[in-house]
Amino acid sequence: MTEIFEGFIFDLDGTVYLGDTLLPGAQETIRTIRDSDKNMVFVSNKPLERRSVYARKLTRLGIPVSKEQIVNSTLVTARYLIENDPN
């Protein structure tokens, strides 16, 4: 199934984990996608934490990721402002 997609985007809270618990099948699904060498990012619309905090949480839960694989609303807003209204 992974061969028909170039990459994957996963929402975090409620999709990959709930609170501090990995949801059933999340780790196995992500491992399968990684084994197929596909690109993958994780997204959150919660601006409460830095990307590095989300990356550490996922790693602690058994899904090692870098902060570069995390996209949150704070990052998107900052990039938008830099590109559209840098002052």
Side-chain angles (χ1 to χ4, degrees):
M1 168 106 158
T2 60
E3 62 276 352
I4 63 174
F5 298 104
E6 292 183 28
F8 295 82
I9 301 170
F10 289 96
D11 183 44
L12 289 175
D13 199 10
T15 304
V16 174
Y17 59 73
L18 192 55
D20 283 324
T21 305
L22 216 56
L23 289 171
Q27 190 174 35
E28 296 80 8
T29 300
I30 291 166
R31 185 179 306 121
T32 298
I33 293 168
R34 280 203 171 128
D35 289 347
S36 69
D37 290 325
K38 299 294 181 171
N39 292 319
M40 160 180 352
V41 296
F42 300 87
V43 298
S44 175
N45 63 351
K46 292 171 34 178
L48 304 175
E49 302 290 351
R50 294 178 176 266
R51 296 183 306 144
S52 59
V53 172
Y54 288 113
R56 282 194 303 271
K57 179 176 185 171
L58 283 168
T59 299
R60 187 180 76 246
L61 292 174
I63 301 173
V65 300
S66 68
K67 74 174 187 174
E68 288 75 26
Q69 291 178 278
I70 308 292
V71 178
N72 65 1
S73 55
T74 305
L75 174 69
V76 173
T77 301
R79 285 184 179 172
Y80 176 84
L81 290 174
I82 288 168
E83 291 175 13
N84 294 286
D85 192 6
N87 295 320

